[in-house]
Amino acid sequence: MGSDKDGYVRDIRNDLRERLLALDGRYSDAMHEYEAEREALELKREGTTGAIEKERAAVRQLLEIEERREGSETVEIVPTRKLMPLADFLIAKVCAHGPIDRESLKTEAMAAGYQIDGRTFHATLMNVEKHGKIARADTGQYLAAPISEGTLFGMGQQKEEPQVVN
């Protein structure tokens, strides 16, 4: 309750409810805008990477044809770029993408150039989850782990208290 200079107390609860409704609307608008931009970005990425993947497949086919024509063995081309550790990739993908299922994560990792089998992928994913870097929702999708109090940037490092030296 608010009061004026004469000591009269005015009930401001309705004003606060209206303000809360307005804030809820702004929040909802911001989330819808975010989702629309994320979906547009995801579609753009899918279009770009899909076109690149089609071109890569066509070039691989041409290379195989040329190698057969020349009588040489097909040589597997390994990407020369250095990849971050798979665990870091999974954490970054979940944090950037939002809720994502296991198969989509595996597909994303393979598309990024990781040479993984099911066992390696599963073990890495379970370790990342076990150490609290990502969380699994009831739906089975993975999402960014909530930042717990007492951690520095959610990375599991405890804040150190300054030590007094006598």
Side-chain angles (χ1 to χ4, degrees):
M1 303 251 176
S3 64
D4 64 8
K5 62 183 177 187
D6 297 328
Y8 173 73
V9 178
R10 184 173 77 85
D11 187 356
I12 63 169
R13 291 178 296 169
N14 284 334
D15 294 339
L16 293 174
R17 286 184 190 106
E18 287 176 18
R19 185 179 299 169
L20 187 57
L21 284 173
L23 288 171
D24 287 346
R26 286 177 42 205
Y27 181 86
S28 179
D29 291 345
M31 290 304 295
H32 285 295
E33 182 179 338
Y34 164 77
E35 282 298 320
E37 289 176 5
R38 186 185 65 76
E39 288 175 14
L41 187 59
E42 189 71 24
L43 285 172
K44 180 180 177 187
R45 182 200 57 84
E46 288 174 3
T48 302
T49 56
I52 292 170
E53 190 56 41
K54 287 178 185 176
E55 187 174 348
R56 286 173 66 192
V59 170
R60 277 193 194 107
Q61 271 187 321
L62 290 171
L63 179 60
E64 288 174 9
I65 291 168
E66 287 299 310
E67 286 179 342
R68 276 196 307 262
R69 192 171 61 84
E70 293 296 322
S72 62
E73 293 182 26
T74 302
V75 177
E76 183 177 339
I77 300 171
V78 179
T80 57
R81 65 185 164 125
K82 184 160 172 65
L83 298 171
M84 70 173 72
L86 179 59
D88 293 341
F89 174 84
L90 295 175
I91 295 166
K93 186 55 69 175
V94 168
C95 289
H97 188 277
I100 185 170
D101 63 85
R102 172 190 159 85
E103 285 308 308
S104 297
L105 267 176
K106 187 174 182 181
T107 301
E108 292 280 344
M110 290 170 46
Y114 289 90
Q115 304 294 321
I116 51 175
D117 59 31
R119 181 175 292 179
T120 301
F121 179 78
H122 177 75
T124 305
L125 186 60
M126 292 301 102
N127 280 328
V128 169
E129 181 185 357
K130 179 176 128 185
H131 287 90
K133 305 297 184 186
I134 61 174
R136 188 172 10 176
D138 293 337
T139 62
Q141 291 184 311
Y142 291 92
L143 44 108
I147 297 174
S148 60
E149 206 169 307
T151 62
L152 182 62
F153 304 117
M155 299 307 291
Q157 299 173 342
Q158 296 296 325
K159 294 179 185 176
E160 294 184 22
E161 295 295 323
Q163 296 181 356
V164 178
V165 179
N166 293 330

